[in-house]
Amino acid sequence: MKTKFVPKNIESYLYDFWEKKKFFSPNYKNKEGNFCIVIPPPNITGELHMGHAFQQTLMDIIIRYQRIKGKNTFWQTGTDHAGIATQVLIEKKFFKLKENRKENNKKKLIKKIWEWKKKLNFKINNQMRCLGNSIDWSKERFTLDKDMSIAVRKSFIKLYKNKLIYKSKKLSNWDVSLRTVISDLEVEYRQVSSKMWNICYPIVKDNINNEQEFLVISTTRPETLFGDVAISVHPNDIRYKKYIGKFVCVPLTNRIIPIISDNEIDVNKGTGCVKITPAHDFKDYEIAKRNNLPMINIFKKNGKLRSSLQFFDSNGDQLFDVNFFVPLIFKNLNRYEVRKKVIFEINKLGLLKEEKIIQNVVPYGDRTGTIIEPMLTDQWYLNTKPLSILAIKSVKKGNIKFIPDKYKNVFFSWMENINDWCISRQLWWGHQIPVWYDKKNNIYVGNDENEIREKYKISKDIILTQEKDVLDTWFSSGLWCFASLGWPKQTDLFKNFYPTDVLVTGFDIIFFWVSRMILLSTYLVKDKCGNSQVPFKKVIVTGLIRDEFGKKMSKSQGNVIDPLDIIHGISLSDLIKKRTKFISNKETIQSISNFIKFNFPNGIEAFGTDSLRFYFSFLSTPKQDINWNYSRLKFCKNFCTKLWNASRFVFIYIKEININTENKKINLSFPDQWILIELNELIKKYDFEMKNYRFDVVAQNLYDFFWNKFCDWYLEFSKIIRINQKKIELEGTRYSLKKVLLAILILLHPIIPYITEYIWKEMKKIDSVHNKESILEESFPSVFSIDANEKIIKQEMDWFQKKIIELRNIRIKSHFHPKDMVFLYLKNIDCKNKKYFEKYENYLKKMSFLEEILFLSDEKMEFNNKFKKIDGAECLMLKK
RNA sequence: GGGUGAUUAGCUCAGGUGGUAGAGCGCCUCCUUUACACGGAGGAUGUCGGCGGUUCAAUUCCGUCAUCGCCCACCA
């Protein structure tokens, strides 16, 4: 073994070795049962970030642990097509925004995305290999695979047949830049300061001679006045009660609309008068439905004002288009230009009462960052309420457990207040909805056109066209747990590994993904008895890794830490380039470069995968936010180095004392017994904490045992035994060293696979007793039975270690060099302690560099107050 | 507004079922000793956010306040 531990020298070839030998494939011979994890499929939009690396490491730790425990393990991998995110990315990257989304571009774009997918998939898989993920690559899947499509269609058809999927015209979240609808979850509300205007609406006089009166409404969106259908006040608002039932004239458009009352109006907000724009506001939409008001759509799909307004009744049925309500000057303007102009014109008319700045909350599309426009559109919905009952039940019954438990309540509160899920998207990249229309817009749902024609006996003369919309990407992701295993086919994988055991994911996608998987799985997948199947038995919810200062890592902040850079290292100049790549502001670039130059003057050193993985296991506390911490990462690398060096020592020892200790009754000395007792305790704790998924505690326990017990004490004992050269002792120590090191390697292997495999192989070279090829074939270390009173051994070791520390202290206080040979005088020591001193004299002398231990009674020697106290005895150290 | 989490050594964080506070880094002193200076030996440092309560005993349980965070809802 080389004297220096260099991660890159061992990591790359070991992964190839594992892969070639197919160690990661399911091995149905194992008797301890099956164990499966499906990966949360990374989006093909980009390479893996620290969060992925973190979560995947935890998954790999679990998988490797279960494998060593004798389970037949399988880790399903794959990637997600990530509908919106990917299409946005490719449109931006390769197509000019203006020419996109024309039907003749569709093929080009899809082709480009597939090329991109291939490239990214390669990169992502390579990263996963670097991380040491024990994945069976032959089973890799993609959410747009043909088999996935089968599962998607099967699910859609079943849900449609059972009347849980329906098409409807409703107010939906419209992203004008993407020109698609998005679901409630994809809307992100941001606190912003915006302008609020008070506008006068003239009340229609019931008598020509009456004075002109006005109702003043408050609005942040004056451009929507073209879609006003009423003014509403609270029925008990004494200020406005008298106007209820009268009419106002909408400024600029000269439409007459009624003044109505509604209990939902808040008298304290704005002026207490609300303009009702049902086609562009969710609350107004509800008010319109309650009060049987019409709805007016005023925007085109790109957010520009329509020249002819679309009128609908309160059920969403289109009534007529009217083209004389919008003045020519507003034609073809986008919503913000309209807003500006409306205010300008209204002011000109003297109808603008007030303008002020307020703090309010505005909905944005989470992928595009554009303000969402509520619009009346035809969309496909999944009625989630009936499904949620099954989902809630399976979690309540404990068939699915959340870890940490608190997330259960997050899940319940969302499930109990769930709204119908809008599953259609006006995009190209995704699963096209399996619905066909004839000329009369009759709907046919099925696997393909031929099947439908046959089933409904539709002649070839009738043209059928497929629904152009695709499904929300989360619809297919929601099937991932079972569809990736082969469902609806009863494949070996599905039969053996479903329901899956553990899902490791972040709290940020509990609603997007975890909940939807539970919803769809419990409804769609049943066991032989017809009981709902859960997609996974446990969900481990991890925290989010932030930078050293607790800030979210983001490209625009220039604070992203790339897991590969930690593994392989990166030079200063490359690091600066990488972190400033997505930033345009020169000052920001400068400050980021300065920060990097100051903190990483030599770039980032190569820590290697194992160090990173050991570090990750320390980070896996049940916290919501996890701060990056270089000093701990460094410590983790030091740990690997220590393991390397300690192993080297053990090998030197084993080689030198070449006694065969196999199949032989071994006499264990005091330190041997002690370290094996400690190892037993470690094994028990390790198992317990692994089952609790407290990898931080596992790592801490392993560290503590290995460093503080094995290296600091046991190896020191072994050196003394080596000096003593007593054959019986040497045998015992050689045996124990081997047993303990092997156990440590196996226990550490799930966390730090490379270095443990490497050392294991080295160990095999020196002292081979079996024909296993890899540490992956080792079994979990069993607890050793010790032929001694464990309690007494531990007590005496405790006494011994305390004594050594006391002696070291006396040495330091007496200003002796650590290796000076000294005489130790003990005066008036009690019997019990004297017994121990005599019993462990040899170890004490060697470990503390004592020439002699001398027991004195009172009279023989005066210590002149220079003595220190040990166990009540006076103690003096003198140089030879 | 509803929910939820956090507050422990200078920094980053552990502390299942209450019983004299732990780790890593950092700091101070000493040591290049034949596995390791990415090391060894020794040391300093905490009224465990504030205030109340339960208890023989509370960092741990309950209440309350303060500060910070997250999630959900919300374009008047």
Side-chain angles (χ1 to χ4, degrees):
Chain A
M1 232 168 124
K2 294 221 169 91
T3 43
K4 221 179 159 195
F5 164 57
V6 182
K8 72 165 188 229
N9 292 348
I10 62 173
E11 288 178 359
S12 57
Y13 83 89
L14 281 179
Y15 197 93
D16 294 342
F17 163 73
W18 290 329
E19 213 180 327
K20 265 184 207 133
K21 292 279 178 182
K22 297 204 160 88
F23 285 127
F24 302 151
S25 306
N27 167 5
Y28 296 100
K29 289 171 206 153
N30 294 26
K31 287 174 188 156
E32 301 295 323
N34 300 321
F35 188 92
C36 177
I37 290 180
V38 293
I39 202 167
N43 290 350
I44 51 155
T45 43
E47 291 173 51
L48 302 183
H49 53 64
M50 204 50 91
H52 290 121
F54 175 50
Q55 288 172 5
Q56 289 177 11
T57 296
L58 301 190
M59 288 174 229
D60 197 44
I61 291 173
I62 297 169
I63 284 280
R64 283 180 190 264
Y65 166 70
Q66 294 291 349
R67 191 181 290 123
I68 277 175
K69 290 294 273 186
K71 291 263 176 73
N72 173 32
T73 55
F74 176 53
W75 183 357
Q76 175 67 54
T77 194
T79 42
D80 196 309
H81 70 280
I84 295 181
T86 309
Q87 188 164 334
V88 168
L89 180 88
I90 302 299
E91 279 177 354
K92 263 194 194 163
K93 230 180 163 82
F94 300 107
F95 296 85
K96 284 177 199 154
L97 280 174
K98 284 198 174 166
E99 69 175 328
N100 74 1
R101 229 51 87 63
K102 280 180 196 157
E103 203 55 32
N104 56 353
N105 277 333
K106 184 170 172 176
K107 265 192 183 160
K108 260 203 288 186
L109 185 107
I110 299 289
K111 195 179 158 222
K112 197 85 205 169
I113 299 181
W114 278 107
E115 283 168 20
W116 170 268
K117 184 258 167 190
K118 204 175 162 192
K119 206 172 96 189
L120 253 289
N121 223 136
F122 181 78
K123 280 187 179 174
I124 288 171
N125 289 356
N126 186 42
Q127 279 181 298
M128 289 195 196
R129 286 185 167 92
C130 272
L131 287 166
N133 294 350
S134 52
I135 284 173
D136 178 354
W137 291 99
S138 68
K139 314 264 189 324
E140 190 192 344
R141 301 294 295 276
F142 180 52
T143 54
L144 272 185
D145 278 349
K146 274 185 189 153
D147 286 348
M148 277 301 283
S149 298
I150 294 171
V152 165
R153 284 200 294 268
K154 166 120 186 162
S155 309
F156 187 96
I157 293 165
K158 183 171 178 188
L159 289 162
Y160 180 80
K161 271 190 185 159
N162 295 349
K163 301 206 159 53
L164 290 165
I165 284 181
Y166 62 93
K167 190 181 185 182
S168 168
K169 187 186 263 3
K170 283 203 241 185
L171 203 57
S172 51
N173 305 299
W174 189 261
D175 187 314
V176 297
S177 67
L178 275 175
R179 273 163 281 163
T180 178
V181 71
I182 56 175
S183 72
D184 296 344
L185 278 181
E186 287 158 308
V187 178
E188 186 184 289
Y189 288 89
R190 295 188 202 158
Q191 215 15 289
V192 293
S193 64
S194 35
K195 280 187 183 165
M196 189 168 85
W197 292 274
N198 284 359
I199 298 172
C200 302
Y201 279 44
I203 297 174
V204 177
K205 294 188 228 175
D206 33 18
N207 188 325
I208 289 179
N209 298 325
N210 284 358
E211 206 177 299
Q212 179 64 56
E213 286 184 288
F214 297 95
L215 267 190
V216 183
I217 57 94
S218 296
T219 182
T220 51
R221 306 189 51 207
E223 71 279 12
T224 61
L225 63 74
F226 295 109
D228 287 355
V229 297
I231 298 290
S232 184
V233 297
H234 193 276
N236 300 331
D237 193 330
I238 45 167
R239 292 172 297 178
Y240 305 118
K241 221 170 172 174
K242 55 184 169 185
Y243 299 121
I244 298 170
K246 293 191 174 183
F247 293 86
V248 294
C249 175
V250 182
L252 305 177
T253 136
N254 297 326
R255 262 186 311 111
I256 305 293
I257 57 170
I259 301 165
I260 61 159
S261 67
D262 194 283
N263 283 318
E264 288 297 300
I265 304 299
D266 186 343
V267 290
N268 298 316
K269 270 191 177 172
T271 58
C273 290
V274 185
K275 65 188 215 52
I276 304 300
T277 321
H280 299 287
D281 184 286
F282 284 95
K283 268 194 180 156
D284 294 0
Y285 179 75
E286 293 303 321
I287 291 174
K289 291 211 127 182
R290 271 202 297 277
N291 294 286
N292 206 18
L293 295 168
M295 315 190 199
I296 309 171
N297 179 29
I298 66 167
F299 289 121
K300 291 191 232 170
K301 296 208 161 154
N302 58 9
K304 287 186 175 174
L305 194 64
R306 299 180 66 93
S307 43
S308 66
L309 305 181
Q310 291 178 305
F311 280 65
F312 298 87
D313 67 12
S314 56
N315 294 321
D317 292 330
Q318 190 155 356
L319 300 172
F320 40 76
D321 281 17
V322 180
N323 60 7
F324 49 79
F325 282 132
V326 179
L328 278 174
I329 46 165
F330 291 101
K331 264 203 173 148
N332 220 24
L333 299 182
N334 75 36
R335 38 191 185 156
Y336 307 113
E337 293 162 341
V338 176
R339 179 180 297 180
K340 251 185 174 171
K341 209 161 194 96
V342 163
I343 290 301
F344 180 79
E345 294 297 327
I346 279 181
N347 196 21
K348 233 164 65 179
L349 293 171
L351 295 174
L352 184 62
K353 186 100 185 280
E354 200 184 344
E355 177 182 306
K356 58 182 172 185
I357 296 199
I358 56 151
Q359 290 296 314
N360 72 337
V361 186
V362 177
Y364 287 81
D366 66 350
R367 289 287 169 195
T368 55
T370 44
I371 296 177
I372 293 306
E373 190 63 51
M375 293 261 244
L376 275 174
T377 55
D378 288 308
Q379 301 295 343
W380 290 89
Y381 291 90
L382 176 63
N383 178 4
T384 24
K385 261 265 140 51
L387 304 191
S388 71
I389 294 164
L390 287 174
I392 289 169
K393 207 165 128 193
S394 60
V395 177
K396 282 228 162 105
K397 269 165 81 182
N399 296 345
I400 299 174
K401 285 203 176 82
F402 280 84
I403 300 164
D405 195 50
K406 63 177 177 186
Y407 288 106
K408 189 172 74 187
N409 300 323
V410 177
F411 170 81
F412 285 140
S413 70
W414 187 73
M415 271 295 174
E416 278 154 11
N417 301 305
I418 198 162
N419 290 323
D420 285 0
W421 171 15
C422 177
I423 52 172
S424 49
R425 297 288 181 276
Q426 290 65 55
L427 296 171
W428 291 338
W429 180 240
H431 291 281
Q432 209 172 336
I433 293 178
V435 167
W436 280 260
Y437 302 99
D438 61 18
K439 264 193 174 165
K440 290 174 188 161
N441 264 338
N442 288 316
I443 291 171
Y444 304 97
V445 175
N447 279 302
D448 56 54
E449 198 179 322
N450 290 337
E451 184 196 282
I452 285 167
R453 282 188 191 278
E454 244 172 68
K455 194 174 169 190
Y456 297 97
K457 304 207 166 67
I458 302 167
S459 74
K460 279 182 184 168
D461 318 331
I462 296 169
I463 296 167
L464 290 178
T465 46
Q466 192 179 356
E467 170 67 79
K468 278 184 185 149
D469 289 358
V470 298
L471 285 164
D472 180 5
T473 204
W474 295 106
F475 187 88
S476 48
S477 308
L479 314 174
W480 179 249
C481 272
F482 42 98
S484 67
L485 297 177
W487 184 91
K489 286 181 209 140
Q490 293 293 312
T491 57
D492 279 347
L493 285 181
F494 182 74
K495 280 190 279 189
N496 281 292
F497 293 109
Y498 197 78
T500 68
D501 290 273
V502 173
L503 182 81
V504 181
T505 192
F507 62 86
D508 50 332
I509 54 171
I510 288 182
F511 301 141
F512 277 116
W513 193 48
V514 178
S515 302
R516 266 109 175 234
M517 272 200 286
I518 299 174
L519 276 177
L520 291 170
S521 176
T522 49
Y523 185 78
L524 293 168
V525 188
K526 309 277 170 173
D527 65 10
K528 282 174 193 160
C529 311
N531 298 317
S532 286
Q533 292 274 65
V534 293
F536 33 75
K537 294 165 197 154
K538 283 171 187 166
V539 193
I540 298 174
V541 182
T542 66
L544 195 83
I545 299 188
R546 295 165 172 274
D547 76 358
E548 305 94 295
F549 308 102
K551 271 196 208 157
K552 209 172 167 176
M553 290 190 199
S554 81
K555 284 177 184 170
S556 58
Q557 294 263 333
N559 62 349
V560 172
I561 303 167
D562 185 335
L564 285 191
D565 293 345
I566 298 298
I567 293 171
H568 300 134
I570 185 168
S571 72
L572 176 64
S573 59
D574 287 349
L575 185 61
I576 291 174
K577 243 186 254 166
K578 203 167 189 170
R579 293 227 180 145
T580 52
K581 196 174 164 188
F582 296 94
I583 297 161
S584 49
N585 183 315
K586 274 187 183 169
E587 278 173 39
T588 316
I589 291 176
Q590 195 55 47
S591 76
I592 290 169
S593 322
N594 289 344
F595 174 85
I596 296 169
K597 277 178 203 159
F598 183 80
N599 288 288
F600 308 97
N602 303 313
I604 296 175
E605 65 172 294
F607 286 93
T609 300
D610 288 328
S611 311
L612 180 64
R613 289 176 58 124
F614 197 57
Y615 170 69
F616 279 146
S617 65
F618 270 107
L619 290 190
S620 70
T621 61
K623 286 196 66 174
Q624 196 170 293
D625 293 316
I626 301 161
N627 288 5
W628 186 259
N629 183 345
Y630 274 104
S631 67
R632 191 168 280 269
L633 175 65
K634 214 164 195 173
F635 154 74
C636 289
K637 189 174 180 202
N638 293 353
F639 178 85
C640 292
T641 307
K642 185 86 173 174
L643 178 64
W644 182 270
N645 287 318
S647 304
R648 275 177 51 228
F649 171 79
V650 172
F651 296 159
I652 293 167
Y653 199 107
I654 293 174
K655 263 192 208 164
E656 185 185 290
I657 298 142
N658 199 8
I659 312 169
N660 186 8
T661 53
E662 291 303 317
N663 309 319
K664 202 172 172 186
K665 174 109 178 63
I666 300 293
N667 289 300
L668 298 176
S669 61
F670 166 62
D672 298 333
Q673 290 175 335
W674 170 74
I675 197 68
L676 290 171
I677 290 166
E678 291 287 351
L679 177 66
N680 285 346
E681 282 179 17
L682 172 74
I683 292 169
K684 286 179 204 156
K685 272 194 269 182
Y686 177 96
D687 240 2
F688 182 80
E689 297 299 349
M690 273 292 190
K691 281 173 188 148
N692 271 343
Y693 306 101
R694 282 302 300 266
F695 310 112
D696 60 324
V697 182
V698 170
Q700 184 68 39
N701 287 339
L702 286 167
Y703 159 75
D704 183 58
F705 173 81
F706 170 70
W707 203 304
N708 298 334
K709 295 192 169 118
F710 184 68
C711 292
D712 288 353
W713 290 101
Y714 187 68
L715 292 189
E716 294 308 313
F717 275 113
S718 78
K719 287 175 189 171
I720 294 167
I721 286 166
R722 185 160 64 156
I723 296 165
N724 285 349
Q725 283 294 319
K726 286 186 189 154
K727 200 186 165 202
I728 288 183
E729 283 181 359
L730 286 171
E731 268 180 7
T733 305
R734 189 181 191 275
Y735 171 86
S736 309
L737 276 172
K738 255 181 63 185
K739 286 285 174 201
V740 176
L741 181 63
L742 180 64
I744 290 173
L745 291 175
I746 295 171
L747 296 179
L748 277 169
H749 179 261
I751 304 176
I752 47 174
Y754 289 111
I755 187 170
T756 47
E757 171 78 315
Y758 184 87
I759 296 170
W760 183 91
K761 281 176 182 292
E762 290 294 313
M763 194 168 181
K764 195 190 160 203
K765 276 188 214 162
I766 294 165
D767 200 61
S768 173
V769 287
H770 50 68
N771 5 325
K772 289 175 185 141
E773 281 186 280
S774 162
I775 192 169
L776 282 156
E777 295 171 296
E778 285 282 4
S779 47
F780 193 74
S782 48
V783 170
F784 292 86
S785 63
I786 311 289
D787 240 359
N789 186 326
E790 300 193 2
K791 216 172 161 189
I792 289 174
I793 298 278
K794 284 198 73 163
Q795 264 171 14
E796 295 192 3
M797 183 54 83
D798 193 52
W799 177 90
F800 181 86
Q801 293 181 349
K802 277 189 182 138
K803 225 42 62 190
I804 293 285
I805 291 166
E806 282 175 83
L807 292 172
R808 282 169 182 164
N809 259 312
I810 293 172
R811 181 183 283 273
I812 283 173
K813 281 173 188 157
S814 313
H815 302 290
F816 294 141
H817 187 276
K819 291 188 85 177
D820 278 347
M821 292 305 283
V822 294
F823 288 94
L824 179 71
Y825 296 93
L826 292 163
K827 196 155 126 188
N828 295 337
I829 191 156
D830 63 53
C831 287
K832 190 184 149 205
N833 281 300
K834 190 176 175 194
K835 221 176 84 192
Y836 282 148
F837 265 103
E838 283 165 352
K839 186 172 179 187
Y840 296 116
E841 187 186 3
N842 184 40
Y843 291 128
L844 285 166
K845 275 162 78 178
K846 292 271 165 41
M847 226 175 251
S848 307
F849 294 91
L850 303 176
E851 185 70 38
E852 207 67 62
I853 301 173
L854 300 141
F855 301 99
L856 304 172
S857 49
D858 239 348
E859 65 281 3
K860 275 189 180 166
M861 195 170 158
E862 271 304 319
F863 281 8
N864 293 333
N865 296 330
K866 281 182 178 170
F867 63 86
K868 312 282 187 275
K869 282 267 182 184
I870 276 191
D871 297 327
E874 292 174 12
C875 163
L876 189 68
M877 224 175 241
L878 289 176
K879 231 177 185 172
K880 202 175 173 182

